[in-house]
Every structure is written in C-alpha cells, then in structure tokens.
Amino acid sequence: MDSYYLFAGLCAMALTSCVSVKSSELRAAKPQLDPATFFTGRTFSSGVIESRIGSSRRVTTRTFGKWEGETLRLEQDLAFSDGVTQHRSWRIRRLNAHHYEATANDMVGTASGEADGNTFHWSFTLALSPGNPLANVRLTQWMYLQPDGRTLINHTTIRKFGIALAHVTEKFRRETVAKH
C-alpha cells in the first residue's frame, strides 16, 4: 500500500511540473518589467542557440530603441558565431498596462505579448526565408527582469509544426549612462 501512495505522489508531482506558468501568476514579482522602458536606449545581449539535434551557435545583439510618438522603434543587429549577421527593425506598441504588440521586418503578422511582474511573454512567426512560407518558424519568448533592473534573461523556444527545433538562452543588459 505504501508503494501505491509513493507512486501516486510521484505521478502527481510529474503532472504538476508539466503545467506551464501563466504570466499573470507572476504579477507580484519584483522588479516590475516594462519591456518598452527596458529596451529604450541601448541594450546588448549574448546567448546560445541550441538545436534539437545537438548543435549550437552563439548569438550577440546590439539594440537601440527610441520612441516615435506612441511607437517604440528598435533597431537590432544580430551576429552569429558562424559569421552570419542580420538586422531586425522592430515597431512595438503598448496596448494597455500589460499588453503589447509588435511588427518587424522579418516577422509574419504581428507579435502579441503580455507583461506581468518581472516577466514578459510573447510569441510571433519569423520568416527565415522571406517569401517562402515553408521556412517560417514560431518563436515563443519568456523574458525575466533580474533584481538589478538592468539584466534580463530571455528564453526562446523555436517551433515548426508544433515541434521544438531549438532553444535560445540569452542575457540582455541595459547600457548605463555615465553621469556628468
């Protein structure tokens, strides 16, 4: 009988560990993340893309964000360890206190996201080969602002037909402005 309860307990733990966390459950987490504020100015990132087949490549980004009316315009330069470079132009709009939408030059449609507490979550379709819909992939990003308020950890899952092809783990840092 004791082994039955142990087995049932282990199954319950396994099932509850598979439940995804809703960003609204993180609302009380500090410091509060406002992605539009975080990405205004200069940010830098470094990370790694790990594919399902075991290969990996490093990625770094340099981003500059500035407001144009109600829209945050981000210009982002990406550099990969294999020498490939890319430029992405984002346009981000705050819809209300917690919701955002964005477009980018290599995005299909619009990204939609939600910020709660120290967390920002959004997803979008990326055109790896513009004009070829078979090369589109779905990205889901979870970003977590760290206690220093200047560091953000990003975890991205890249999917095709619902199958996870790769994961990106990346650390963003806001540039500090020197005081005169």
Side-chain angles (χ1 to χ4, degrees):
M1 190 68 124
D2 288 331
S3 61
Y4 170 79
Y5 289 111
L6 176 62
F7 177 75
L10 289 173
C11 287
M13 285 183 355
L15 287 173
T16 58
S17 68
C18 294
V19 175
S20 64
V21 176
K22 301 248 186 280
S23 60
S24 60
E25 295 171 7
L26 304 170
R27 187 163 284 151
K30 302 284 184 206
Q32 296 285 305
L33 172 58
D34 174 357
T37 300
F38 184 87
F39 286 103
T40 297
R42 295 195 185 281
T43 56
F44 304 91
S45 78
S46 62
V48 64
I49 303 168
E50 299 171 285
S51 78
R52 182 177 180 166
I53 60 171
S55 64
S56 66
R57 74 182 196 176
R58 292 179 315 277
V59 60
T60 59
T61 68
R62 294 182 178 281
T63 306
F64 179 72
K66 72 176 186 171
W67 285 94
E68 295 177 346
E70 297 293 315
T71 302
L72 176 61
R73 179 179 170 184
L74 293 181
E75 297 300 328
Q76 184 177 51
D77 292 309
L78 299 93
F80 300 91
S81 56
D82 58 5
V84 172
T85 60
Q86 205 175 331
H87 181 80
R88 184 169 294 141
S89 294
W90 293 87
R91 302 297 180 270
I92 302 173
R93 287 185 339 116
R94 181 190 327 261
L95 301 176
N96 59 38
H98 298 284
H99 295 91
Y100 297 80
E101 69 178 13
T103 58
N105 59 308
D106 55 355
M107 186 184 297
V108 177
T110 303
S112 59
E114 181 178 3
D116 277 310
N118 71 335
T119 305
F120 180 63
H121 167 252
W122 70 351
S123 58
F124 54 92
T125 299
L126 188 67
L128 295 178
S129 177
N132 178 2
L134 295 176
N136 295 349
V137 292
R138 187 80 180 157
L139 277 71
T140 303
Q141 294 185 316
W142 283 89
M143 299 177 181
Y144 305 93
L145 186 61
Q146 300 304 293
D148 67 4
R150 291 184 45 235
T151 306
L152 184 138
I153 304 299
N154 175 39
H155 180 73
T156 302
T157 301
I158 302 169
R159 288 184 167 78
K160 180 74 176 178
F161 304 122
I163 299 168
L165 300 178
H167 295 279
V168 181
T169 305
E170 186 175 22
K171 179 174 92 172
F172 283 88
R173 251 343 237 170
R174 283 182 52 80
E175 181 179 82
T176 56
V177 179
K179 295 181 182 178
H180 296 276

